[in-house]
Amino acid sequence: MEFHAVDIQGFEAKLPILPLPSGIKIAFFNLHGDSELTEHCAKKLAPYLADCDVLITAESKGLQLAHCTARELGQRFYAVARKTKKLYMQDGLDIVIDSSITTGKEQHLYLSKHDSDLLKGKKVGIIDDVVSTGASLAGLEKLVIEAGGIIHKKAFVLAEAEAAERKDVIFLAQIPIFV
């Protein structure tokens, strides 16, 4: 297996290069199960998000990052956009995102009423592991707006390919797409 090494502001990560259904290959970044990497990234991102009232992320790889970052910021709650609708989410928000490039299909993002209320009128920091095509980010932005929140910051561990040229996002390091 091939790997791509990336320095995430002092943390060297070795990412496996994997093919997507679209035919491109990516350096796969996975925070699941790596507490040291997750803690490092949260500590590095927290200062950028210090003036946000609340954070939001999409499940699943952003969960532990949002948790650790919220803890760093002294925030008890953070919002989670789910990819499947749970029983307790009957009165929440539901939006559709086109993530066909990365997942091969259309996806939904769901936000519970509790999390929707958490965002209302607040300066919201969107946080996740990787920004790439921007489809998931656009979905999170739409959820924040529909909930009545104010998109204040957008922070990621990694920016993939052209996403590193965006002026509206904060990221710790960048990774390429492999053809």
Side-chain angles (χ1 to χ4, degrees):
M1 179 176 285
E2 289 181 82
F3 290 89
H4 175 75
V6 61
D7 179 357
I8 305 171
Q9 294 192 4
F11 193 107
E12 186 76 18
K14 224 171 115 178
L15 311 180
I17 299 173
L18 303 174
L20 293 179
S22 63
I24 64 171
K25 293 180 183 178
I26 62 165
F28 182 69
F29 181 64
N30 187 7
L31 288 171
H32 288 313
D34 192 334
S35 60
E36 187 178 347
L37 176 58
T38 303
E39 292 287 344
H40 173 81
C41 294
K43 282 178 172 58
K44 294 293 184 179
L45 286 173
Y48 296 113
L49 298 164
D51 59 346
C52 295
D53 300 318
V54 65
L55 303 177
I56 186 172
T57 194
E59 71 174 357
S60 73
K61 290 187 288 180
L63 283 172
Q64 60 268 34
L65 179 63
H67 178 92
C68 293
T69 307
R71 186 188 63 231
E72 287 290 317
L73 296 172
Q75 297 176 357
R76 179 176 174 193
F77 294 104
Y78 54 93
V80 179
R82 304 290 304 259
K83 292 181 182 173
T84 57
K85 190 173 188 177
K86 305 300 179 190
L87 186 60
Y88 66 89
M89 302 177 96
Q90 300 308 312
D91 55 355
L93 300 174
D94 172 2
I95 59 124
V96 176
I97 59 171
D98 177 14
S99 56
S100 56
I101 291 174
T102 53
T103 66
K105 59 185 176 181
E106 171 183 283
Q107 285 187 320
H108 284 256
L109 286 179
Y110 303 94
L111 196 63
S112 70
K113 180 164 182 357
H114 172 270
D115 285 0
S116 180
D117 290 345
L118 189 63
L119 303 179
K120 189 172 185 169
K122 301 283 180 39
K123 293 188 297 182
V124 180
I126 296 172
I127 185 169
D128 211 346
D129 62 337
V130 179
V131 61
S132 182
T133 65
S136 295
L137 173 56
L140 287 169
E141 290 173 317
K142 189 172 178 182
L143 278 176
V144 171
I145 291 165
E146 285 192 21
I150 302 150
I151 300 165
H152 189 61
K153 300 267 178 78
K154 298 173 248 183
F156 300 86
V157 176
L158 299 174
E160 186 175 65
E162 289 84 30
E165 297 171 19
R166 293 179 65 143
K167 303 297 182 212
D168 63 328
V169 299
I170 298 159
F171 56 91
L172 302 178
Q174 62 187 78
I175 53 175
I177 288 180
F178 303 88
V179 208

